[in-house]
Structures are given as C-alpha cells and as structure tokens.
Amino acid sequence: MLDPKNQRDASRAGEERGAHSEKDLTQMGMGKMAIDRSDVDVETEDVLSPATPRTQHSSERRGHGNISFPNNLSWARRKSKVVANQTKQWYKKYACHMLLKQREIPRSNDGRHISLDLSRTTPLVDERTGKHYVNNTIRSSRYTIWTFLPLQLWFQFTKIANLYFLIMGILQLIPGLSTTGTYTTILPLLFFLSFSIAREGYDDFRRYRLDRVENRRLARVLRDSSWTAAAGKTIRSFASIAGESWKESKSIARRIGPKNDIEASPVTSDPKLYSGSKESSTASPPPESENSAWATVKWIDLKVGDVIEIRRDEQLPADIVLLYSDGRDGIAYIETMALDGETNLKCRRPPDELAKRCGTVTDLARCRANFAVEDPNLDLYDFHGKVSLDASTLPLTLENVIFRGSTLRNTKRAVGMIVNTGEECKIRMNANKKPQTKAPAIQYMTNRVVILLTIFVILLSIGCTAGYEIWTPVFENRAWYLDDAHLPLEEIFIAFAIEFNNLIPLALYVSLEIIKFAQFLLLQDIEMYDPVSDTPVVCNTQTIFENLGQVGYIFSDKTGTLTENVMRFRKMGIAGTAWRHKDRKEATCDGNESTGNTQPRIEIDEPSPQDQELSTDGLLQYIQLHPSAPFTAKAQIFLLALALCHTCFPETQANGDIAFQATSPDETALVEAAQDLGYLLVDRSTHSATLLTQLSGTDSETREKYEILDVIEFSSKRKRMSVIVKFADGRICLLCKGADSVILPRLKVDEKRARDASPSEQRKRKSIDEMRVAKMRRSMQEDSMNSLERLSIGMGRPELSRLSSDLGFRLSVGFERAHETLHTARGYWREKSVPSSDPALAVRRVVEEAQSLDDAAILERCRQQIDDFACEGLRTLVYGYRLLGEAEYASWHKTYHEATTSLTNRQEMIEAAASKGVPETIEKLQRANIKIWMLTGDKRETAINIAHSARICKPYSQVVILDQASGDLEQKLTSTLLEVSTSNHTVVVIDGQTLVSIEKNETLTSIFYELLLVVGAVICCRASPSQKASIVKNIRRKLPKSITLAIGDGGNDIAMIQEAHVGVGISGKEGLQAARVADYSIAQFRFLQRLLLVHGHWNYVRTAKYILLTFWKEMLFYSVQIMYQRWNGYTGTSLYESNSLTVWNTLFTSLPVMLPGIFEQNLSAETLLAVPELYGYGQESKGFDMWKYTWWMLMAAFESQVLWWMTYFLFGVVPITDDQSLFAIGNLAFSVCVVFINVKLLILQFHHKTWIPLFGAALTISGWWAWNLFLSAIYYKNPGPYTVYHAFTSQFGKNPTWWAVFVLICLVMFICEVVVEVLGRWWGKDLVAVWQELEQDKTIRKRLKEEGGEGGYGLMN
C-alpha cells in the first residue's frame, strides 16, 4: 500500500508503480547517460540509437542456443537465403544507391540534440544527414508524380495478357504480316491502358487530397515576437488565444468554400468519447498582446524545436516532449486509440524541474534547455532521452512525451516541444511506407488461362503452318494462278498467330474496366448508409471488388471497430440478489434510442413479464423504506464502493452538470452509475472525496466527506484496485474491486470453505463446474442448430429434403434466431423471483429470502450470477470491503506487502457497448468460414473480454493463451494442436512478443501456423502497428491462397490495412486516418456483413462469370474459323467478313458478357445473409477454376463442331442453294453464333432474370440483322472473296434454305444446351443450386427474408 506522499511517484512509474522509487526510475531510464556531453558519445549509444526494443533481446539470445546438425534441406535453405541476401545487397547498392540516389540514414552517435530556443530563426539540422529535419508532411498515397507512370506501367504489364497484346500489337505494325489489320490490337490496348492508369491515378489522387487536408490543419506555435508585452502572462491564459485561432481557422474555411477542402481547422476528436470531454474551454476575447505571442500555422509548417499548444480534444500534430500541463498535479491525460489501440487514458507529465521553468511565456523565452532524444524508431512503448538544465540533467522517459496521433483528454491545454515530425513520427514509422498496388486474386487464374491459351495459339499456329507446308506441294504448286504466292515459313506462322490472337480477347480487359465502374456504382447500397453520421460506403479502389467475395481471414482492430469504447452499467448483484439498472440517458431515450448516437449499442432483450428482473429503482425504494435492515447496510456499502473506489475526478461544466475525468470508460460508467443511484461525487483531491447523497423519492441531500488514506491502483498483474478510506465516524474501510478470479479466492468465506473442504467435496465442486461448462456448451450448440430441417418437413417439399440429405448438408440457417445467451443458466435468484403485481412486495420477498441465506449460499449465488451475466456478453467486476481497526491499519501501513484480504463479496456488471450488430456480424462471418483475428494494442484481459462481448469467443470456447514467459512454447503448441480436434471452438490468445519469438524458430513457426489452420479464432494483444502489418504479411506468405482483409479505424491500423489483400476503414471516432488509405470505407462494423456476404459474393460471381463467358464465346467463335482453315489451304483466309469481324466484340457480344458481369445475382441478398455458408462458393473459387474453365472450353469445342459441320453439310455442299459463296456461309455461321451466344448467356444462363437481360438479347440480335442490311447497302460491288453488295437483301437473304438451316442449327444447339444443363443440375448440383431452388418456394423465401432482413440485417434490428 502506498502512503500519500508516494502516491504521485507511483502514478509516474507506469503499470508497476509500487515497484521502484523515483530514484530507481531515474537510474533505470537514463542510468547510462552522463551529464557531460563529452561522455555521452560513448556511454549512451545503446540508449539513444534506434535499436531493436529491449524486450526482444532475451529472446534473441535464446535463439542462438539452438544448434542442429546440417542436412540437405537446411543447406538448401541457407543457400537460398544467401542468394536472397546477395540480391538485396546488389539492389541496394546499384538500384537504390547509384540509380535512385536513395541511401539509408545512418544512426547518430548519441541521438538528436534540440535546444529550447524561441529566438531561433533557421530550422535545425539533422546530424545524421547534414540537412534540415524532415518537414511535417505525411503521405499515405501510393505514388508521387515521378513514380506514378513507371510503377503503373510495371503493374499493368505484369498482367500476362497485356504483355501478350503488346507483342501482338508490335507484330501487327510490321507491314505484310497481319491479315486482320495494322492497328486493331495496339490502339485498343493503348486506350485500355490509358483508362486503367487514369482510374488508378484518380483513386490515388483522392488519397493525396485527403493527405493534403491533414497536412494543412492548423496548429498554434509560440513565436518570439513581443515577449515584453506578453511577459507575466501565464500559460493558463492561452486558451483565449486558442479561441481566436479557432475563429480564424473557421473564417479561412468559409472563405475557401466547400469546393476546396485543402485548408482545415484544428483537428478535434469527438468530445463524447468520455463524459469528461463534454465541456469545452471558454474564455473572454483575448488581448492583442497575447495574440502576438502565438501564431496559427499549418501542420506542414511545423519544425523540430517548435513549441506548440494543444487544447482539449485536439490531436497531436507531431511527437512532442511535454513542457507544461494545466491538469491536476501537472498531469496531461491522453488517449492513444489511434496510436496503439488501447482504450484507457494514459497520464503524461513534464519533468518537475522543467515544468517549473516553463510556467509562463517569459519563462519559456528565457529557458535554455538542451534535449538529447533517441533517433526516430518504431518502438511505441519505450522512449529514451535527457534534458539538461543548467548543471542538472533530467531523464526523459515515455511518460514525458506524447506521440502524434494521440488526443488530449480531460486536460484543458498542454504545451510541448516538437522532437519528431512527419514521416519520422512514431505512428508514421509504424506505417507501411511502400504499399503494394493491389490486384484481384482471380487475376492469378486469369493469367494461368492466358498462358495456356498462348501455348494453344502457338501450337495452333505451328499446326496450321505445317498444314500450309503440306498443302503447298499438293495443290499450290499445281495452281497456275498461285505462282509466286508462296509465303515464307516465318511469315505464315506470324500471320496465323495474329489471326488467332483473339482467342485471348483484348475485349476481356477493356470491358472489365467498364464492369468494374458499374460495380462501383452499384456498391452505393442504401443498406450500408449510416443516416446518423451521414456516411455512405466509400470505394477508394475499384480493381479488387471480387476479392470481397473470397475473404478467408479478417484482421480486426478492437477499439472503435468492434466496440464503441463506451461502457454502460447494466446489472449488479448484492448479497445474492440481482438488479437490472437503466441509467438516466437510457430512460429518456427509450423508444428513440438512435437519436444523437453515432453508433447505437446492442440491446439485450428485455426479460419477459414472467421472468422479470428487479430494477434498481426498487432497490432504492427498499433502502428508503427500510433504513435499518441488514440488507440496506450491505447495499449502502456497495454504493459507497461504486462512488469511492476509483481514480476519477469530477468537474463542473458550464451548465452546472457534473462530469468526470477518468482514465478509462469503465470507471466513468461506474461513477455515473453511483450518481444514478444517489451517490454523486462532487469533489476529489489526493486525500479526500466528497459525496452528495440523495435517496430516491426525496429532495433532501447530504454532503459527506471521506478521507482517502491510500490508493493501490489497478495493474494487469494484480487485476484489482484498492482504496482505504476513513469515514466521518472514524471507521477505516478497505474497498476493493477487480476480476472475479482474483477477488473471490480472497473472500473470507471462500478461504474458510476451501480450508474445510474435504477432497471429495473439492472433487464434487470441480464436477459441478465442469457440468456447468458442459451445460453452457450444449445450450450454445442447440441454439446454433436451429435449421431449415423443420421447413423441409413442413413445407410439403420432400424432394428438397431428400436433396439436402443426399448432399450431406445440414441446412442450418437459424430461422428461430439462435441467441448465444445461455437462457438455461438462469440462476437460483431468478427461479425464486416470483412475479407480483406489487413491485415493492416482490422486492421485499427477494430481500427477505436473501437475508435468510448464509455466507456460503450467498457466495454460490454470486458465482452463478457471474456466469449468467458473462453469458449475456457483459463484462464482470467484483467488489468487496473490509472494516479495519486503527491498530490493524497502522501495522498494515508499515508492512505493505503483508496486507490481508478477508472480504465480503459484492458484485456488479458493466456492458461494453459494442457497435450495433457486431456480435451478429461476427457470428455470420464465422459461419461463412471466415477466420477472425483480433489484433489490438490493449492488454490481454481487455482483449479477451471484448472478444467475448463480440462473440469472437463463445461461452463454450476453449481459450488457449500462448505466452513465452509461461514455459516451453513448443510443448504448449503441440499439446494445443492435439487438443483442438476434441474442442468445438478453440481461441488462441497470443501477445506480440511471443509471436516474435515463435517466428524466429522454424519448428515453432511450422507448428504455430498449422495450429492456426484449425482454430476458430485468434486474439493478438499488445501488438504494435508494425507487428499488425507483419502478422498480416506472414499469413499472406504462409497461406498464399487465402484472401486477407484488415479492418480498423485508427492510424495504428493503416499498416495492416495496406498490407492485406483488402483494406476496410471505419469512419469512426478516431477520425479518418484508416478510412483515407483503405480500399473501402464504411461507417459501422456491421456493414461488413453485407459488404462481404452480399456484394462480395455477387461481385465475385459477376467477375468470374464474365471472364469465363468471354473465354467461352471467343473459343466457340474462332473454333469455327479454325475448322475452316482446312478448306482454304491453310492460307489464313478468314471465314468471316472483315468489317463484321472488327465489331464482333464491340457490337454483338459485349452485352451478353457485360450484363451478367454487372447485374447477375445468382442468389438473393436475403438468402446470402441468412445462409452465410454460401460464401464458400467464392472462397473455394468455384466460379472460375481450372475444372470449370476446362468444361466450358470443351463445351465450346463441341458446339463449334456442331455449328461448323451442320453449316457445311446442310448449306455448303447441298445443290439446292442458290448462293454458296464464302460470305453466305460465313454469315450463316456468324448469325448462329450471335443468336446462340446472346440467348444462352442472357436467357438460359442468366439467373436473375429481369427486363435488362431480355432487352439486351433483343437489342443485340436485332442489331445484328440491322448490321446486315447496313453492309448490303454501303458495300461497293468490287471483286473479292466476300460478295457483300446486296447479298443479304437480294441473294442468300431471300433463300429459304439459308433461313431453314439457320433455324435448324439454332434449335439443335439450344436442345443440346438444355440437355447438358438438366443433366448437370441432376448429377452435379452444388450448394448454390440447392438454394436457388429453395428460394423459389414462397414460404421459404418469406422465412429467408425474415432471417436475412429486407434491409440486410434481419433480426439485428
């Protein structure tokens, strides 16, 4: 226990504040730093250099101890590593150093030296480079004006098809080689590349504009002018100057107008994150002299060494050393959610001696402090430096600095000096500096197909060339009219390669760009629009829509993504009784909850009348009516514990209300709950707390003052907090709160029970606990098994039931809305709470029954309540107290480490207000076979609690914690891997440092990633931004076939968002840092459900179908051309007329493939949301894989044979036709292709039939006949292979045989198509086909609509 004088020192020490004195901390932080500058060069190199964080050293040393015998495999690995290292060195030496003039910045000897000098007029020089320090510009765009075109050209030509078309286009430019024209390939290619590059440039330009907005935000800098006029004015009056700057920035924004968003006002985070943030500082109009002391500048103009002022709720523009804070005891509270993901506020304070010398403007002007700080590095959890003041040297540690991305909370203003700017700030050092251009995963399969088709074209050209060489002596040499017409071997080969190059259609990529743009427009779904924040879905990248339908891993931040970071007091248990609490905000907003809330919380279902819980209103009435009852005394001490056992400070707002400054939102929730229950904290100092108590139903108020003797703050090691207070009557009381696993074993009754229990009783208790867990698991399994099997029985559709049985697929949809709340574990206190028409009578019954219980029974009820509350997704906390005697306290105070804890249990509940729909969304994503990882900078316990609230962890999940400090990791990993097969759902919890240790050992890495393939979820806590990105990168490398998605809302998530295949940003309370660089931006996490399961699935199906159909129709069309080569002597003569061939892809077959790529919906949105298992269609690439491609190509080959041979025998060689010219035969085959392709793709194969595909088919077919009329009218009557002039209108167009053959061929091909489709549906029915049939039933469709919801969220609303 800390005494009052050491309490301040304890708060400075960090998490383990009672472990070291201030002297020890000074020696630990800067023990190697000498006072004399001459000594620093040698002694502080390891302290100030940007070395690897110290926490890694031990693991690195241990890694060198593993020695293995060499073998071939290890030799090969070492050899490959040597080659890779040599390649990297060559690239750095010649490419980076010599060509690009890029050199690594060397480390400084003793860090960077910065003097506090307001009279300085020139920027400081970086000792490492000899140039000025980098400016405060940040860049999240992928390209610069110099790198954009080279990188885009490289990216575009990494697509095999583009490279292929470039080669073909160049060959076509050579005179005499091409039989299809000179510019028919190169011009469309240039147009397509220009369009793609321009679109990428536009997307990146939008990122640049957002960067520009942030770079031009406004900050207040202290300048050296008019110091005399400003002398004596304390920094406490700087708020008025800030107010003037704020007005000035608003006027600038008004002058610029909405069309130019380059200038921006000072960045201010949402003031509603904490209740203490509701008050804004107000001040009178500033004097002219004070305005001259501070200047409003843009963030981009800030320099190292500048002194800046930060006001409440503003973000830091750069890394600073704190010089002054007007907070209590000089403490500045900061929120680092955007930096490291942690939700708790952190305390920062300037060094004491420095704060004394920087209290006024005059002092700042006269102070000549010299700072020596570490070089810029990635470590967010450590900082080393020193400051020299006259003859004294003070250490600078993490508690003296504030990093960019942090937000000042609960402190009106602070002043600091900039030490790092721009890309050298910690948050930017952790960002991904070289984000890759993202490509769709389906492009890999497309490239494989293009390579195969390239090989096929080469082989086909070789075969036709050989045929020409065989035909030459047989026929060409004997034909007098072919004298001197023989072509060289290489020319005929190139001619055939050019003729057949359209087997790889250039239109595939041109039309795909149009399809992507249409998909971009269709993504503007009203169901993903948040009306409260007026935020729609935003697409920043248009190239990877199909990746949304193939995601296998989701990496999610916690803060602001899965939670609102807002806590509400929900339920409490006192002496065996349970009470439901509704705060005043809820009471006033009942029935209209969404107003004023950007992210409404999840509502827990209200209990039914027959299972009604007691309200805290009834508790207050009972206390008022029975002030002397034993239960009243227990309830009052519990309420006192709520109001006193914390570290909050109250403050009076402008409207007279009381708000609280707290280091975490859960403490705010507790104190506000005490306020709702009549115990209002009105004043708090280091040694006292004043409460204003008021009983329900009365107007009388009582002011009570309590002396605070000692405070032991919460730490992750102790998992509890204790406060010792002295009441007005002199009694001393110990109040304690903490995790149930820590508090319950320290209870007096629990100790006695454990001491007196026999071995058989202990085994019985363990058996009861195991039965309770088993009951929870069975209940969860039963709830998750609500399925469509009932529908199969009751809908009169036995064939569907048989079909599902044959497939071995359980149609588990959960139409009865499976809750994960364990309703079976209601608890003894609910069973005995008989409802009554008189609430007071019901309260009295429950209280009287509780008073009849002994301590052991109360403890058992307490345990049951903890289980019940936890199963409802609430976070649990246990309170206890003990009265201490004077002598006992005095003895304990002297012997701090011998404190005893014999407590009487009290318990309460807090709800982590998760973003609306988060648990339901995660549940459906898990059903979609998406593995969800939570990567957060928070502590392990906090991360696990949030995972339970968000249903990443189930109540029945087996949680496995991997910690390098707990023992042999290899043994732990191996045993866990063996146990996973017997567990229903396993969640692996690992911290960032343990992950680093695992990745250094190849054996551990292999076992670890094998484990990840079978576990249900992974939680990585204490992960820095760079570690988050590294985790995503490793998963991409270990599982190259899996698509990763990273989602977050803060600056600490930028690196992993850029590293993942798909990055999703949430426009949350942490600002737009993540949304600015993400591929997609949404307002709430719940929209991810519709983005992936609906739009992701649709876009994958559309893109896959478009690519497949494009390859199919080209193979069908040109296979007929290939068959005709035998009849023209392999000379390359085309069967089709050249003008028709030119517009083949543009006019006659563009709509049949583009309309499915834009409007196809193989399943309804309701079905996709109700049955997330259907998402596996994209994950397994069933829409476009090698087997499906091969099948469609075989069908194209078969259909082309039917088409050619029927055309040849029924029209080409029969004597009853009048016109058997090449144009008539070619036009017949062309017409059949146009009609068959349009009807098949837009009618037979189009599932989501609307007027659009029907109109497209009718338009294209009618357009083809109009084209024939047009050709007949405009063609000249010139000699040539194609007699087009009036051929359609006057010759074969009037021939009944031509039309009869045309109709007959179409009918035969349609019959073949229908037969193949029916047989495929009968024998090869997959899950999608099953549900396509099921949703045709009106009753099932209605149930699907109820589950999936008309708006896409069904029962979540």
Side-chain angles (χ1 to χ4, degrees), residues 722-734:
S722 301
V723 175
I724 298 180
V725 299
K726 177 180 282 189
F727 296 157
D729 58 7
R731 290 181 300 165
I732 299 176
C733 182
L734 169 65

mmCIF file of all heavy atoms in Angstrom, residues 722-734:
data_model
loop_
_atom_site.group_PDB
_atom_site.id
_atom_site.type_symbol
_atom_site.label_atom_id
_atom_site.label_comp_id
_atom_site.label_asym_id
_atom_site.label_seq_id
_atom_site.Cartn_x
_atom_site.Cartn_y
_atom_site.Cartn_z
ATOM 1 N N SER A 722 -7.532 -1.116 -5.011
ATOM 2 C CA SER A 722 -7.960 -0.986 -3.616
ATOM 3 C C SER A 722 -7.858 0.470 -3.174
ATOM 4 O O SER A 722 -6.945 1.194 -3.591
ATOM 5 C CB SER A 722 -7.103 -1.857 -2.689
ATOM 6 O OG SER A 722 -7.179 -3.226 -3.076
ATOM 7 N N VAL A 723 -8.805 0.875 -2.350
ATOM 8 C CA VAL A 723 -8.821 2.206 -1.743
ATOM 9 C C VAL A 723 -9.133 2.041 -0.268
ATOM 10 O O VAL A 723 -10.057 1.305 0.104
ATOM 11 C CB VAL A 723 -9.876 3.113 -2.414
ATOM 12 C CG1 VAL A 723 -9.951 4.451 -1.688
ATOM 13 C CG2 VAL A 723 -9.557 3.331 -3.877
ATOM 14 N N ILE A 724 -8.362 2.703 0.572
ATOM 15 C CA ILE A 724 -8.628 2.706 2.013
ATOM 16 C C ILE A 724 -9.127 4.094 2.377
ATOM 17 O O ILE A 724 -8.450 5.094 2.126
ATOM 18 C CB ILE A 724 -7.375 2.344 2.821
ATOM 19 C CG1 ILE A 724 -6.914 0.927 2.461
ATOM 20 C CG2 ILE A 724 -7.649 2.453 4.305
ATOM 21 C CD1 ILE A 724 -5.686 0.484 3.209
ATOM 22 N N VAL A 725 -10.323 4.165 2.939
ATOM 23 C CA VAL A 725 -10.965 5.444 3.278
ATOM 24 C C VAL A 725 -11.313 5.454 4.760
ATOM 25 O O VAL A 725 -11.503 4.407 5.389
ATOM 26 C CB VAL A 725 -12.225 5.679 2.425
ATOM 27 C CG1 VAL A 725 -11.883 5.742 0.955
ATOM 28 C CG2 VAL A 725 -13.261 4.595 2.670
ATOM 29 N N LYS A 726 -11.404 6.659 5.290
ATOM 30 C CA LYS A 726 -11.839 6.843 6.681
ATOM 31 C C LYS A 726 -13.177 7.563 6.646
ATOM 32 O O LYS A 726 -13.296 8.647 6.044
ATOM 33 C CB LYS A 726 -10.815 7.651 7.475
ATOM 34 C CG LYS A 726 -11.267 7.928 8.925
ATOM 35 C CD LYS A 726 -10.228 8.725 9.691
ATOM 36 C CE LYS A 726 -9.088 7.810 10.126
ATOM 37 N NZ LYS A 726 -8.164 8.514 11.066
ATOM 38 N N PHE A 727 -14.171 6.958 7.307
ATOM 39 C CA PHE A 727 -15.492 7.553 7.350
ATOM 40 C C PHE A 727 -15.505 8.716 8.334
ATOM 41 O O PHE A 727 -14.575 8.911 9.115
ATOM 42 C CB PHE A 727 -16.536 6.517 7.748
ATOM 43 C CG PHE A 727 -16.683 5.399 6.751
ATOM 44 C CD1 PHE A 727 -17.190 4.155 7.125
ATOM 45 C CD2 PHE A 727 -16.335 5.583 5.417
ATOM 46 C CE1 PHE A 727 -17.325 3.136 6.211
ATOM 47 C CE2 PHE A 727 -16.472 4.563 4.493
ATOM 48 C CZ PHE A 727 -16.961 3.338 4.887
ATOM 49 N N ALA A 728 -16.612 9.464 8.300
ATOM 50 C CA ALA A 728 -16.741 10.608 9.196
ATOM 51 C C ALA A 728 -16.761 10.181 10.654
ATOM 52 O O ALA A 728 -16.338 10.926 11.543
ATOM 53 C CB ALA A 728 -18.008 11.398 8.852
ATOM 54 N N ASP A 729 -17.242 8.969 10.943
ATOM 55 C CA ASP A 729 -17.285 8.483 12.327
ATOM 56 C C ASP A 729 -15.975 7.855 12.765
ATOM 57 O O ASP A 729 -15.886 7.286 13.868
ATOM 58 C CB ASP A 729 -18.432 7.486 12.496
ATOM 59 C CG ASP A 729 -18.313 6.309 11.546
ATOM 60 O OD1 ASP A 729 -17.274 6.202 10.848
ATOM 61 O OD2 ASP A 729 -19.244 5.482 11.487
ATOM 62 N N GLY A 730 -14.943 7.905 11.906
ATOM 63 C CA GLY A 730 -13.634 7.400 12.290
ATOM 64 C C GLY A 730 -13.339 5.989 11.851
ATOM 65 O O GLY A 730 -12.200 5.526 12.002
ATOM 66 N N ARG A 731 -14.304 5.282 11.332
ATOM 67 C CA ARG A 731 -14.056 3.918 10.890
ATOM 68 C C ARG A 731 -13.186 3.918 9.633
ATOM 69 O O ARG A 731 -13.303 4.798 8.781
ATOM 70 C CB ARG A 731 -15.367 3.190 10.606
ATOM 71 C CG ARG A 731 -16.202 2.876 11.847
ATOM 72 C CD ARG A 731 -17.466 2.127 11.451
ATOM 73 N NE ARG A 731 -18.290 2.935 10.538
ATOM 74 C CZ ARG A 731 -19.290 2.425 9.817
ATOM 75 N NH1 ARG A 731 -19.558 1.128 9.890
ATOM 76 N NH2 ARG A 731 -19.992 3.220 9.027
ATOM 77 N N ILE A 732 -12.332 2.921 9.529
ATOM 78 C CA ILE A 732 -11.454 2.759 8.371
ATOM 79 C C ILE A 732 -11.936 1.550 7.583
ATOM 80 O O ILE A 732 -12.162 0.477 8.145
ATOM 81 C CB ILE A 732 -9.990 2.574 8.803
ATOM 82 C CG1 ILE A 732 -9.503 3.796 9.585
ATOM 83 C CG2 ILE A 732 -9.097 2.319 7.589
ATOM 84 C CD1 ILE A 732 -8.104 3.655 10.118
ATOM 85 N N CYS A 733 -12.095 1.747 6.287
ATOM 86 C CA CYS A 733 -12.658 0.696 5.447
ATOM 87 C C CYS A 733 -11.784 0.493 4.218
ATOM 88 O O CYS A 733 -11.345 1.456 3.573
ATOM 89 C CB CYS A 733 -14.085 1.057 5.025
ATOM 90 S SG CYS A 733 -14.884 -0.227 4.028
ATOM 91 N N LEU A 734 -11.537 -0.760 3.910
ATOM 92 C CA LEU A 734 -10.828 -1.132 2.685
ATOM 93 C C LEU A 734 -11.859 -1.514 1.637
ATOM 94 O O LEU A 734 -12.649 -2.433 1.828
ATOM 95 C CB LEU A 734 -9.887 -2.307 2.949
ATOM 96 C CG LEU A 734 -9.261 -2.976 1.719
ATOM 97 C CD1 LEU A 734 -8.339 -2.016 0.999
ATOM 98 C CD2 LEU A 734 -8.526 -4.250 2.110
#
